Amino acid sequence: WIMRGLRWILYGLLDFVNFPQVKKRGKWLRTLREKKAIKLMRQEVPDPMLQEKLIPDYPMGCKRVLLSSNYYPALILPNADLITSPIQSISQEQIITEDGPIGPIDTIVYATGYNVMNPLGRMVIQGINGQDLQETWGDSFFAYKGVTVPGFPNFCILLGPNTALGHSSVIFMIEQQVQYTLRYLKSLAPDAYLDVKQEACNSYNADIEASFKDRVWSGSCASWYIDAAGRIPTLWPHSTTQYWRIMRKRDPEAYTILKATESSST
């Protein structure tokens, strides 16, 4: 019961303290936490020039919030330099930035982030009419409740479109998707399959996209959450409690039930 109680405390802090600050109208809370974070940084980092480099030029929550107790101590070590000047070119011996060369160098770790816009990797998923899922998605992937895609019956995704998080634990989201998928499978007859309706998927995703207008991730925020079309197909824009509520709801009206022997035009 102690472990369960601790989990509920942590869940409550993430869902009822972290989530409100990613809303644009929660600016007062975000500003308060930004000031607290900067105050902590100034206590840990004595160099004023280094302090200025470490203050982001975007609001808290736009990108992932770093939770670490050894990040600042690592940056003030005598063998560490933080260089933020844009790179112009790289040669075998040095890196050329706008402020001049850095070197000599022997190793470069190229760490630019995540390729979240291709969640299937090299997998080939074909739909009811032989269509390819990657081509169906194009430059911006989507799904109904982050789990099912029209035209791809009996195909369920975990951690699919709009189910990653910038404010809580994604494990909770996966747990809800597993339960939803189990209910999906239990509703199937041996010779049938479920295909989510296109209109249900479109309506769901339209609501998701509209919700982002009031979130810190939209507007001037530039991050790997956003695709080439300017959409945010990665994150869930609401509290995890709300996701739990919609995933518990049975929604047979959103699906078409087809027999395996029926033609794809049924």
Side-chain angles (χ1 to χ4, degrees):
W1 63 267
I2 295 175
M3 293 288 287
R4 186 174 292 274
L6 177 60
R7 173 170 179 170
W8 279 109
I9 290 171
L10 293 173
Y11 176 83
L13 289 172
L14 293 172
D15 224 36
F16 303 111
V17 178
N18 270 18
F19 174 62
Q21 81 171 23
V22 302
K23 296 181 179 180
K24 289 183 177 178
R25 59 179 179 268
K27 184 177 180 180
W28 66 272
L29 177 59
R30 189 164 56 251
T31 301
L32 187 66
R33 300 192 76 182
E34 286 173 352
K35 289 180 178 179
K36 184 177 180 180
I38 292 173
K39 181 180 179 181
L40 173 64
M41 182 270 292
R42 294 193 190 280
Q43 292 172 350
E44 296 280 332
V45 179
D47 183 353
M49 293 184 65
L50 183 55
Q51 290 176 4
E52 292 306 310
K53 289 182 178 181
L54 290 171
I55 298 176
D57 59 357
Y58 49 83
M60 178 178 280
C62 165
K63 301 183 183 182
R64 281 192 171 182
V65 178
L66 180 65
L67 303 177
S68 173
S69 58
N70 54 26
Y71 179 63
Y72 292 141
L75 291 178
I76 62 175
L77 292 173
N79 62 343
D81 290 308
L82 177 62
I83 298 168
T84 57
S85 300
I87 295 174
Q88 290 186 332
S89 62
I90 299 174
S91 69
Q92 289 184 336
E93 294 82 19
Q94 60 187 1
I95 296 175
I96 310 298
T97 73
E98 288 185 357
D99 294 335
I102 304 169
I105 57 173
D106 56 13
T107 303
I108 297 175
V109 179
Y110 190 67
T112 58
Y114 305 94
N115 181 15
V116 296
M117 302 306 166
N118 182 20
L120 297 178
R122 296 184 179 181
M123 287 192 295
V124 176
I125 308 295
Q126 289 187 322
I128 195 170
N129 294 314
Q131 70 273 31
D132 182 83
L133 182 54
Q134 299 280 23
E135 293 179 0
T136 299
W137 276 342
D139 295 330
S140 192
F141 56 99
F142 58 89
Y144 177 68
K145 295 188 176 181
V147 178
T148 53
V149 182
F152 295 83
N154 292 8
F155 174 70
C156 298
I157 314 168
L158 299 183
L159 203 56
N162 289 115
T163 61
L165 294 171
H167 61 280
S168 188
S169 171
V170 78
I171 296 173
F172 180 84
M173 302 291 281
I174 297 172
E175 290 172 344
Q176 308 318 306
Q177 292 156 31
V178 168
Q179 294 302 317
Y180 184 86
T181 300
L182 289 175
R183 289 194 295 273
Y184 180 106
L185 294 174
K186 288 177 181 178
S187 67
L188 286 176
D191 60 344
Y193 50 85
L194 290 176
D195 188 16
V196 65
K197 297 176 181 177
Q198 187 69 57
E199 56 268 28
C201 187
N202 291 346
S203 176
Y204 174 83
N205 282 280
D207 290 341
I208 291 288
E209 192 160 351
S211 298
F212 277 114
K213 295 177 181 179
D214 184 44
R215 302 295 182 264
V216 72
W217 306 300
S218 63
S220 60
C221 173
S223 71
W224 53 266
Y225 298 143
I226 304 170
D227 65 16
R231 290 186 65 251
I232 305 176
T234 47
L235 298 179
W236 172 247
H238 304 292
S239 67
T240 57
T241 303
Q242 185 164 339
Y243 192 67
W244 170 76
R245 284 199 297 265
I246 71 162
M247 295 301 275
R248 282 174 57 87
K249 179 184 177 183
R250 299 184 64 85
D251 50 1
E253 72 284 351
Y255 289 88
T256 300
I257 303 176
L258 300 175
K259 297 289 185 180
T261 55
E262 293 183 48
S263 67
S264 59
S265 61
T266 303

